[in-house]
């Protein structure tokens, strides 16, 4: 059997990271098995439709580093891939269900339905369509039903769910799943506006598009027994199901906007690398090994297995994502990242620097930050003279005798042949040895004069990148202004 999976979002807004993970798992599974990953837009709920959402979600997946094999924009032999363009198909299939007795017409008004729910609530029952007393094909009889249809009375088509027994299916992540039929509502399949509900459209399309595995979020698990009944009603073999666990906040509540970032675009705008976000969400709920954390897309494809996805909700640990980003930041060649840093620097009023210099600064500072965009603030002194000098640091390390200790270095640095990391190191070592002085009595004042800050990268490396002229200028200006 060839593997065909689909990501089937409703275009209602930005792509949630949970959606990204679902899309990614589908993609990884398809690629791992040499199959196809399809994008199907489930846009039959016109009330929730957002026009730009489809493009936004394709862009978000593209940014994350994957493409679909068949989609509304690419086409494919199973199209159209937008459900709103397939409404005739759903009508046709709802007729089959009506004819074989698996579905029926119902004519209830929304007031009647509200009253029914109120009654059920009062008597402590779960709200559920009561086929035996409401206005439908069974209570009205065939003749009256035919008459109402002929006069075009507003109506819906409902699934005839068995009253007793169990509905079972096996789920690759969750094992055997059982629902009692009495808990399942007579789901509306076709609405009065002629549009299908999610359930009908989803099942018909999964069948017609020859989907082999349905990989989706756990929140759709309660819908699955309805889908199983639909597959049976059509006499179709159902795809295999895999419901992946929800993403949770560290306090185990469902991940939502109220707690912070949830959309792929938020993470993109925060400066996360797509590779880091993908690596991280892939490991939310799945990990092929207990120690390793860093996987490229190709490695994720190589290792991905639905059987290893956990049942329990997956905590979205923001701190860990930041850590992961820092790992990626350290793994790239600085020169690859330099153009991006130059773009970031454009929004600062610093004098312009070249791409080579930007790469050197990245190499210098990246061990100490999580994001590329931390550089202009964490390492502001690499682009401009120190704007301020840390008072606490100064009072600790600038003593009455410091000036005399530092001043000879101006000469020494000037006559150095090469202003390199190593040469600076050697010459300062020599100097402190000759004075029988601790190295820190020099290093801290140098850091203060040159960067203004207490934390930063190795001082000699910092100085060699800044260059002799700049270092001497900063030292002189500080010495002039401080006793
Ligand atoms: N349209 C549903 C959604 O928005 C699809 C669920 C499924 O994959 O079946 O997520």
């Amino acid at each position: 059997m060839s593997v065909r999976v689909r990501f089937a979002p409703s275009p209602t807004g930005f792509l949630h990271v949970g959606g990204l993970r679902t899309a990614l798992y589908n993609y990884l599974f398809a690629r791992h098995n040499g199959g196809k990953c399809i994008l199907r837009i489930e846009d039959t709920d016109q009330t929730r439709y957002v026009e730009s959402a489809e493009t936004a979600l394709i862009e978000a997946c593209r940014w994350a580093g994957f493409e679909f094999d068949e989609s509304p924009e690419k086409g494919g032999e199973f199209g159209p891939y937008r459900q709103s363009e397939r409404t005739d198909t759903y009508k046709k299939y709802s007729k089959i269900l009506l004819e074989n007795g698996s579905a029926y017409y119902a004519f209830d008004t929304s007031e009647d339905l509200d009253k029914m729910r109120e009654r059920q609530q009062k008597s402590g029952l779960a709200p559920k369509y009561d086929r035996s007393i409401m206005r439908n094909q069974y209570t009205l009889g065939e003749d009256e039903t035919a008459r109402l249809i002929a006069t075009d009375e507003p109506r819906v088509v409902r699934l005839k769910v068995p009253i007793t027994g169990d509905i079972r299916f096996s789920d690759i992540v969750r094992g055997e799943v059982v629902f009692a039929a009495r808990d399942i509502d007579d789901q509306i399949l076709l609405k009065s506006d002629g549009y299908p509900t999610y359930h009908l459209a989803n099942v018909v399309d999964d069948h017609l598009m020859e989907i082999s595995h349905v990989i989706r979020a756990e929140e759709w698990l309660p819908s699955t027994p309805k889908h199983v009944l639909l597959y049976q009603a059509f006499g179709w073999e159902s795809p295999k199901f895999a419901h992946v666990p929800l993403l949770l906040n560290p306090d185990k509540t469902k991940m939502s906007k109220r707690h912070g970032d949830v959309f792929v675009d938020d993470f993109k705008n925060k400066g996360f690398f797509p590779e880091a976000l993908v690596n991280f969400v892939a490991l939310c709920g799945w990990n092929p090994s207990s120690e390793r954390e860093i996987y490229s897309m190709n490695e994720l494809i190589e290792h991905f297995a639905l059987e290893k996805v956990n049942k329990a909700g997956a905590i979205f640990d923001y701190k860990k994502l930041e850590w992961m980003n820092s790992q990626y930041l350290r793994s790239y060649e600085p020169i690859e990242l330099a153009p991006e840093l130059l773009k970031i620097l454009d929004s600062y009023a610093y004098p312009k620097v070249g791409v080579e210099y930007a790469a050197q600064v990245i190499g210098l500072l990246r061990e100490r930050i999580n994001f590329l965009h931390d550089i202009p603030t964490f390492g502001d002194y690499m682009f401009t003279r120190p704007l301020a000098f840390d008072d606490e640091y100064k009072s600790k390390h600038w003593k009455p005798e410091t000036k005399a200790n530092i001043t000879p270095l101006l000469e020494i640095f000037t006559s150095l042949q090469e202003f390199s990391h190593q040469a600076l190191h050697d010459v300062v070592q020599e100097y402190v040895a000759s004075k029988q002085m601790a190295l820190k009595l020099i290093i801290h004042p140098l850091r203060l004069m040159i960067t203004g800050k207490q934390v930063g990268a190795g001082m000699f490396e910092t100085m060699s990148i800044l260059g002799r002229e700049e270092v001497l200028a900063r030292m002189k200006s500080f010495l002039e202004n401080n006793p």
Side-chain angles (χ1 to χ4, degrees):
M1 181 183 66
S2 66
V3 163
R4 288 179 54 85
V5 292
R6 84 304 191 271
F7 177 50
S10 298
T12 54
F14 294 112
L15 183 61
H16 191 284
V17 279
L20 176 70
R21 190 193 48 173
T22 302
L24 181 66
Y25 280 5
N26 275 285
Y27 175 78
L28 297 177
F29 184 75
R31 285 291 171 278
H32 181 90
N33 293 293
K36 292 267 189 291
C37 184
I38 288 116
L39 174 67
R40 183 173 72 225
I41 299 294
E42 303 212 323
D43 57 349
T44 56
D45 187 350
Q46 296 293 315
T47 56
R48 293 172 63 225
Y49 180 74
V50 174
E51 209 191 306
S52 56
E54 181 184 317
T55 327
L57 72 90
I58 293 175
E59 283 305 319
C61 292
R62 192 163 285 154
W63 174 78
F66 59 95
E67 295 274 343
F68 298 96
D69 300 304
E70 298 165 26
S71 69
E73 55 164 17
K74 250 194 202 151
E77 58 175 306
F78 297 86
Y81 293 90
R82 260 182 224 107
Q83 289 189 327
S84 58
E85 294 163 21
R86 303 170 62 85
T87 46
D88 287 346
T89 307
Y90 310 127
K91 279 188 196 139
K92 176 175 133 201
Y93 281 93
S94 71
K95 284 218 176 74
I96 297 180
L97 298 178
L98 286 162
E99 275 160 22
N100 74 15
S102 314
Y104 61 93
Y105 287 112
F107 302 89
D108 313 276
T109 62
S110 49
E111 294 78 43
D112 289 343
L113 291 168
D114 287 346
K115 276 191 207 134
M116 173 193 80
R117 282 188 210 106
E118 251 169 59
R119 279 199 307 275
Q120 289 170 333
Q121 242 156 15
K122 270 195 197 130
S123 28
L125 297 166
K128 192 181 158 208
Y129 186 74
D130 190 342
R131 194 156 75 213
S132 63
I133 55 167
M134 300 303 285
R135 269 188 100 223
N136 57 51
Q137 201 172 329
Y138 300 112
T139 53
L140 299 170
E142 293 307 319
D143 292 347
E144 178 63 0
T145 300
R147 191 189 67 79
L148 291 175
I149 291 171
T151 56
D152 212 12
E153 182 86 357
R155 61 192 175 275
V156 300
V157 175
R158 283 183 182 269
L159 177 65
K160 189 179 179 195
V161 175
I163 307 216
T164 55
D166 289 336
I167 302 159
R168 295 170 181 272
F169 54 92
S170 90
D171 186 283
I172 299 173
V173 175
R174 321 187 67 85
E176 185 77 0
V177 183
V178 184
F179 282 88
R182 65 168 183 281
D183 295 335
I184 310 292
D185 207 4
D186 277 6
Q187 179 63 52
I188 295 180
L189 301 175
L190 209 60
K191 296 179 277 187
S192 54
D193 61 7
Y195 268 73
T197 55
Y198 154 70
H199 307 278
L200 177 66
N202 191 270
V203 164
V204 166
D205 285 349
D206 281 347
H207 176 72
L208 296 180
M209 295 182 180
E210 296 180 11
I211 298 303
S212 60
H213 296 75
V214 167
I215 304 167
R216 63 183 167 205
E218 188 190 324
E219 59 185 303
W220 301 102
L221 192 65
S223 299
T224 310
K226 297 173 186 173
H227 300 181
V228 169
L229 289 176
L230 280 168
Y231 284 107
Q232 287 168 0
F234 283 120
W236 295 337
E237 192 190 333
S238 82
K240 297 205 164 39
F241 295 104
H243 288 89
V244 304
L246 293 179
L247 293 183
L248 304 175
N249 295 303
D251 66 0
K252 303 242 163 113
T253 53
K254 192 175 161 191
M255 205 179 159
S256 72
K257 248 195 308 206
R258 269 183 301 123
H259 282 79
D261 296 331
V262 291
F263 298 120
V264 173
D265 275 29
D266 295 334
F267 294 94
K268 178 180 169 191
N269 296 337
K270 281 258 162 83
F272 284 96
F273 293 114
E275 295 83 353
L277 185 64
V278 160
N279 189 158
F280 176 79
V281 298
L283 300 191
C284 280
W286 167 73
N287 195 338
S289 110
S290 50
E291 308 94 38
R292 192 171 153 193
E293 304 269 17
I294 303 296
Y295 294 87
S296 68
M297 186 70 94
N298 282 337
E299 290 165 335
L300 291 171
I301 291 171
E302 185 192 327
H303 295 286
F304 190 72
L306 278 175
E307 290 77 12
K308 289 224 181 127
V309 172
N310 298 326
K311 254 192 277 189
I315 306 275
F316 193 94
D317 182 348
Y318 202 92
K319 281 271 158 272
K320 184 154 170 202
L321 173 57
E322 286 189 350
W323 169 82
M324 202 163 265
N325 206 66
S326 75
Q327 299 303 301
Y328 277 86
L329 181 58
R330 284 161 217 186
S331 72
Y332 296 117
E333 285 303 323
I335 196 73
E336 285 179 70
L337 299 173
E340 187 58 32
L341 176 59
L342 292 182
K343 254 192 251 160
I344 296 170
L345 284 166
D346 275 345
S347 57
Y348 290 82
Y350 302 146
K352 294 266 172 275
V353 297
V355 68
E356 290 290 339
Y357 183 81
Q360 283 182 305
V361 176
I362 294 168
L364 177 73
L365 299 177
R366 63 174 169 178
E367 295 288 333
R368 289 164 173 80
I369 51 175
N370 291 332
F371 297 98
L372 201 56
H373 62 66
D374 289 337
I375 288 185
T377 45
F378 181 84
D380 50 357
Y381 53 84
M382 294 310 290
F383 308 100
T384 180
R385 301 255 159 110
L387 305 167
F389 296 90
D390 182 333
D391 283 336
E392 197 194 313
Y393 192 48
K394 188 172 170 190
S395 64
K396 231 161 116 191
H397 297 288
W398 197 263
K399 302 287 181 199
E401 66 280 12
T402 310
K403 193 168 187 166
N405 288 339
I406 290 292
T407 307
L409 286 172
L410 288 174
E411 242 335 286
I412 295 175
F413 290 164
T414 309
S415 55
L416 249 192
Q417 222 178 13
E418 204 193 340
F419 202 70
S420 67
H421 177 176
Q422 192 59 46
L424 284 161
H425 170 268
D426 294 348
V427 87
V428 172
Q429 284 289 0
E430 220 172 274
Y431 176 71
V432 294
S434 73
K435 295 250 172 193
Q436 298 198 319
M437 193 192 280
L439 181 65
K440 62 176 190 218
L441 292 181
I442 296 299
I443 290 294
H444 288 300
L446 278 178
R447 186 180 294 286
L448 173 71
M449 290 188 286
I450 294 166
T451 76
K453 289 181 171 178
Q454 188 153 179
V455 281
M459 207 45 223
F460 300 128
E461 212 182 335
T462 305
M463 288 163 68
S464 75
I465 293 173
L466 279 169
R468 181 176 350 229
E469 210 182 309
E470 184 61 25
V471 167
L472 290 175
R474 291 186 188 188
M475 287 173 72
K476 283 179 192 154
S477 133
F478 191 93
L479 290 166
E480 273 162 28
N481 295 308
N482 290 276

